[in-house]
Amino acid sequence: MKYIHEVKTIILNVFPLGKTKFVEYRSIDEMLALVKTVGGIVVEKIIQKRGRPSAKTFLGEGKIEEATVFARENNIDLVIVNGVLKPNQHLHLSKLFPKNIKIWDRIDLILEIFDRHASAPEAKAQIKLARLHHDIPKIYAREATTLFERSGAGIGTRGAGERGIEEEKRHIRRQIKFLEEKLAVTRKKMLSQQNNRKKTGMPVVALVGYTNAGKSSLMKVLTRKPGIKVDDALFVTLETKIGVLWLPSVKTSIFVADTIGFIHDLPPQLIQSFLTTLTEAREADILIHVVDISDPDYREKIETTEDILQRIDCKNQARILVFNKYDRILERKQIAEGNASFLPLREYSNQSPICLSAEQGEGMDQLKRRIESMLFPER
């Protein structure tokens, strides 16, 4: 397949009945951002309002025909479904569209982004394992269809297609076993590193939040750790990075961990694949929840992050809510003057959020003081 920056793409989306236009646009905008992250060109969006996706082709018959005609007439290379396709849905769509057109769902797209950004061997292994777990049900669906089509071909006979599918399944199972064993070794190594850090007596704070909220920018400012990549793009950070922060008032250093960003509807299998990377969040003394406060959807993204934290068993850790990128909003002067009329400050007043700008380096002293007071209340 060509690199995705050369690929003309159609997005297919089912929008549930009863949802507002705002929710629809937000979902599509995020999908466009995901495609943009890998350089894709979206030339058409085909959206259908219906109670639930078609069990066979995701979109209904008329909309799928519209999509296939458009794909043929416009030399489309890639069709992306804004959802998670069932194996039989993927199989039917693959038969309806020309063979040269790739059919992806949301998981395939996110895995492609992960694959582009991963550099550490353990992250690459996690991505490959997630991809294999996502792909193997499609092979079983192909096998079931092949057996059904050959049901009258004679007893005891097997076609070349069946033999090829069986070999493909064995190959994938071997790869999965190898990667699971490799990641088990990685987990032991990471646990050993965590235990060594615990022996130093230095606390750990972990940066968590929605993808592109500015966690890496904050990490860079706080720790001055070299080599931290900061881009205005989704899923730039895939491997946990550990830095050291000096707290001047208590004359103590602490560890700071930057973790993978979250996203709405992140499939459970992807969360499971990255549990090794997210171990630092589960073991941290404090979670710093970083929010892009210039994003109109900040409320939903706060909820998404908290939901995923619950799912990875980060329920009881202390939190610091940080509103990042406040330099991009009109109310900046009000915040600087301590004006509590700024809506997010009122909405989340029970969490005493801190407004800052990692990009401008503003608000760092306040954040450090909050960390100090929580970790070392007696000093």
Side-chain angles (χ1 to χ4, degrees), residues 141-364:
R142 274 203 342 258
E143 180 183 45
T145 302
T146 302
L147 290 172
F148 177 77
E149 289 172 348
R150 284 183 44 80
S151 59
I155 299 173
T157 61
R158 295 180 67 196
E162 292 172 70
R163 292 194 297 271
I165 289 172
E166 194 58 42
E167 178 54 38
E168 189 176 359
K169 283 162 56 182
R170 284 196 295 270
H171 175 65
I172 288 180
R173 289 194 201 102
R174 287 193 295 267
Q175 285 185 300
I176 288 173
K177 186 172 185 292
F178 169 75
L179 289 169
E180 287 177 341
E181 290 173 351
K182 183 177 180 179
L183 287 170
V185 173
T186 300
R187 278 192 289 272
K188 287 182 180 179
K189 180 181 174 183
M190 290 185 70
L191 286 172
S192 176
Q193 291 171 342
Q194 286 174 356
N195 289 332
N196 289 337
R197 286 197 293 273
K198 286 179 181 178
K199 289 176 184 177
T200 68
M202 288 170 56
V204 178
V205 300
L207 305 176
V208 297
Y210 209 85
T211 184
N212 206 27
K215 294 183 291 80
S216 294
S217 296
L218 185 55
M219 174 79 167
K220 190 173 184 178
V221 174
L222 288 175
T223 67
R224 304 188 185 279
K225 184 179 175 70
I228 295 177
K229 187 177 181 182
V230 177
D231 282 333
D232 186 16
L234 306 180
F235 297 116
V236 172
T237 300
L238 292 178
E239 302 96 22
T240 298
K241 292 178 174 61
I242 305 292
V244 175
L245 167 64
W246 171 252
L247 298 173
S249 297
V250 292
K251 297 181 172 56
T252 300
S253 292
I254 65 170
F255 289 114
V256 180
D258 186 15
T259 62
I260 183 174
F262 301 147
I263 194 168
H264 184 63
D265 290 336
L266 188 63
Q269 56 266 53
L270 293 190
I271 296 175
Q272 187 64 35
S273 295
F274 278 84
L275 276 180
T276 302
T277 305
L278 292 167
T279 301
E280 294 293 347
R282 294 198 292 182
E283 296 296 322
D285 297 284
I286 296 175
L287 298 179
I288 300 178
H289 181 170
V290 184
V291 178
D292 176 359
I293 200 58
S294 69
D295 189 329
D297 299 332
Y298 68 86
R299 297 178 188 86
E300 290 77 13
K301 293 182 177 180
I302 289 173
E303 290 175 6
T304 294
T305 298
E306 289 296 337
D307 177 63
I308 294 174
L309 289 172
Q310 292 285 318
R311 287 155 66 185
I312 63 172
D313 203 26
C314 291
K315 300 174 184 177
N316 301 318
Q317 282 131 308
R319 302 274 207 282
I320 299 176
L321 183 62
V322 165
F323 290 157
N324 187 30
K325 306 185 186 181
Y326 93 105
D327 54 307
R328 301 185 185 183
I329 58 179
L330 295 175
E331 295 91 340
R332 179 182 181 183
K333 188 172 184 295
Q334 292 181 333
I335 298 167
E337 294 172 350
N339 190 330
S341 65
F342 178 52
L343 180 59
L345 289 178
R346 295 207 314 273
E347 287 180 309
Y348 298 93
S349 60
N350 62 322
Q351 299 181 53
S352 301
I354 295 173
C355 292
L356 56 77
S357 169
E359 189 176 63
Q360 301 296 326
E362 299 176 5
M364 298 303 124

